[in-house]
Amino acid sequence: MKFNFRVSPNYRAPLSTQRIMFELTLGILVVLGYNVYFYFTHVGVEYGIHALAMIVTSVVVAVSTEMAWALIQKKNPIKYVLNSFPWVTALLFVSMLGINKPLYVVIVGSFVAIVIGKLLFGGFGFNIFNPAGVGRVFVVLSFGGLIYSGFPDIVTGATPNTVMESLGWVFNNSVQVSSYLEQFGGLWGLATGSYIGALGETNSLLILAVGIYFSIRGIIDWRAPVAFLVSMFAFASVIALWHNMGIWYPIFHLVTGGVMFGAIFMITDPVTSPTSITGR
């Protein structure tokens, strides 16, 4: 009996790793592009510029780090980078950062994501953790309280989830519910990202649309995100029924806190997600 082994990600033809990563890159850029537009047009030019600076910085650090690694390994740096896709890790990483992070945090986090989360395990396809997730965890643990001081009105991190946490997570007073939702533009505002938050996590409807496109194109397997989102909605619905809070509560959990971003872009990672349908 002959066994064939291939390094992940494992996809059958006609898909290719290059095509998958190319379309994945486009999808992330669409999501990031919305938020950059939002900051430029609805918050302030300085916010939009800082968002762009964060994105460019993360990509430059990731690509430069892998090129340096290739030189150390005596490999062609251009060829190495084109087959390792460091910009995907960089874009995913910066998507999970709030606009209030200074650039040096982006530099350190992107470097850690590439070196610790990816290269030390052998590079693309050999990592056992999602590299962007590694960078995100490192930044949260090391620089969680730091904010960028370049804005005239510093963003303090009053996201929908932090405000909900301050309210105790469970409340059913109609006036309190309306007051809470109105400050973020209602459920529609939460779903469309009409608030300041992580660069790539706020517009849940756009992320969902990208996820549907990915599923149709075969870029991701729809089972994992659907199982995750349905479970999230079901568990939140049980809590809502128990405390008589209404349908707004499970919907809130689907459209905030990076849930949709995690479902579409993180748990579908072909390297670190289960390879079997049952596992997904």
Side-chain angles (χ1 to χ4, degrees):
M1 182 178 293
K2 182 179 180 181
F3 294 92
N4 294 318
F5 296 92
R6 292 192 302 166
V7 174
S8 57
N10 302 299
Y11 283 95
R12 295 186 178 90
L15 293 175
S16 68
T17 301
Q18 284 73 24
R19 201 202 88 183
I20 291 168
M21 301 307 283
F22 173 74
E23 295 199 30
L24 179 61
T25 300
L26 290 181
I28 304 170
L29 287 175
V30 167
V31 174
L32 286 171
Y34 163 80
N35 274 343
V36 170
Y37 168 80
F38 172 77
Y39 286 122
F40 267 113
T41 59
H42 292 81
V43 184
V45 173
E46 63 273 21
Y47 287 87
I49 292 175
H50 186 63
L52 282 176
M54 291 175 66
I55 295 169
V56 172
T57 298
S58 184
V59 172
V60 169
V61 169
V63 173
S64 299
T65 300
E66 291 216 10
M67 291 184 74
W69 182 271
L71 290 173
I72 293 173
Q73 300 292 317
K74 297 182 180 180
K75 298 178 180 179
N76 184 319
I78 303 298
K79 184 177 179 179
Y80 185 89
V81 166
L82 291 178
N83 288 281
S84 184
F85 316 101
W87 59 85
V88 174
T89 295
L91 292 175
L92 287 173
F93 165 70
V94 79
S95 295
M96 294 183 282
L97 295 184
I99 189 68
N100 58 356
K101 294 304 177 187
L103 292 182
Y104 70 84
V105 171
V106 179
I107 293 173
V108 174
S110 186
F111 178 81
V112 168
I114 293 296
V115 175
I116 305 299
K118 185 177 180 184
L119 295 179
L120 291 184
F121 287 99
F124 180 72
F126 291 92
N127 50 288
I128 62 174
F129 304 110
N130 187 301
V134 171
R136 167 63 173 163
V137 169
F138 181 85
V139 165
V140 169
L141 295 178
S142 303
F143 308 105
L146 292 177
I147 57 176
Y148 176 57
S149 60
F151 298 139
D153 51 336
I154 299 174
V155 180
T156 58
T159 64
N161 276 10
T162 57
V163 176
M164 176 68 86
E165 183 180 8
S166 69
L167 296 173
W169 287 102
V170 175
F171 54 91
N172 55 18
N173 182 285
S174 59
V175 175
Q176 192 176 27
V177 171
S178 297
S179 177
Y180 168 74
L181 293 176
E182 284 175 3
Q183 63 184 303
F184 299 108
L187 288 175
W188 179 254
L190 289 172
T192 55
S194 300
Y195 59 91
I196 295 175
L199 291 185
E201 294 182 352
T202 56
N203 195 328
S204 296
L205 288 183
L206 179 60
I207 297 171
L208 178 60
V210 171
I212 293 173
Y213 170 82
F214 283 166
S215 298
I216 294 173
R217 295 283 290 170
I219 305 301
I220 65 173
D221 184 346
W222 59 269
R223 294 175 180 85
V226 167
F228 175 71
L229 294 173
V230 169
S231 298
M232 175 74 73
F233 185 85
F235 295 143
S237 296
V238 170
I239 298 174
L241 289 171
W242 187 267
H243 295 280
N244 193 29
M245 287 188 291
I247 192 65
W248 71 270
Y249 191 73
I251 294 176
F252 160 82
H253 281 283
L254 288 185
V255 299
T256 62
V259 168
M260 197 66 68
F261 182 87
I264 301 302
F265 289 107
M266 300 301 288
I267 67 174
T268 56
D269 173 30
V271 180
T272 57
S273 63
T275 56
S276 69
I277 293 176
T278 303
R280 292 173 186 169

